[in-house]
Amino acid sequence: MQQQMDVMELAKMLLQFCVVPLIAFVWMHFKMSQGHAVEIAVIKTEFALTKESHDRELKEIKDGLSNIFKKLDEIQKDMHK
């Protein structure tokens, strides 16, 4: 009878000091990783929007420079006439 009580006490101690903290740690780690996944998704979206904006601005700059060079070519042609 005493031996059965000791086994139960040991099982209770194992649960209290090993299994429960381990489960709590795993749960906390899972919740943190879920938060990180959300943050990564937000950062990826922000990056995509920023890249799209920069690409649009770069295209506008290229178009502007192209227009300037066309006008310069026209001026040069007019000067040689």
Side-chain angles (χ1 to χ4, degrees):
M1 189 75 147
Q2 181 65 24
Q3 202 173 23
Q4 188 178 15
M5 287 287 252
D6 290 339
V7 171
M8 292 300 284
E9 287 291 322
L10 180 63
K12 183 179 175 184
M13 283 179 43
L14 280 174
L15 278 173
Q16 186 177 4
F17 295 109
C18 294
V19 175
V20 172
L22 183 63
I23 291 172
F25 172 77
V26 169
W27 178 255
M28 187 176 66
H29 186 268
F30 171 75
K31 291 306 248 177
M32 285 176 51
S33 67
Q34 291 298 312
H36 291 159
V38 169
E39 289 175 12
I40 289 171
V42 169
I43 290 170
K44 283 182 177 180
T45 303
E46 287 175 350
F47 174 76
L49 290 173
T50 302
K51 184 180 180 314
E52 183 180 310
S53 174
H54 286 156
D55 289 347
R56 190 178 316 119
E57 289 174 4
L58 190 60
K59 185 178 183 288
E60 289 174 5
I61 290 170
K62 285 179 181 179
D63 290 344
L65 282 175
S66 177
N67 289 337
I68 290 171
F69 286 129
K70 284 179 188 175
K71 294 217 186 249
L72 286 174
D73 286 341
E74 289 174 11
I75 291 171
Q76 187 178 20
K77 284 179 187 176
D78 287 342
M79 286 177 65
H80 288 295
K81 285 184 180 180

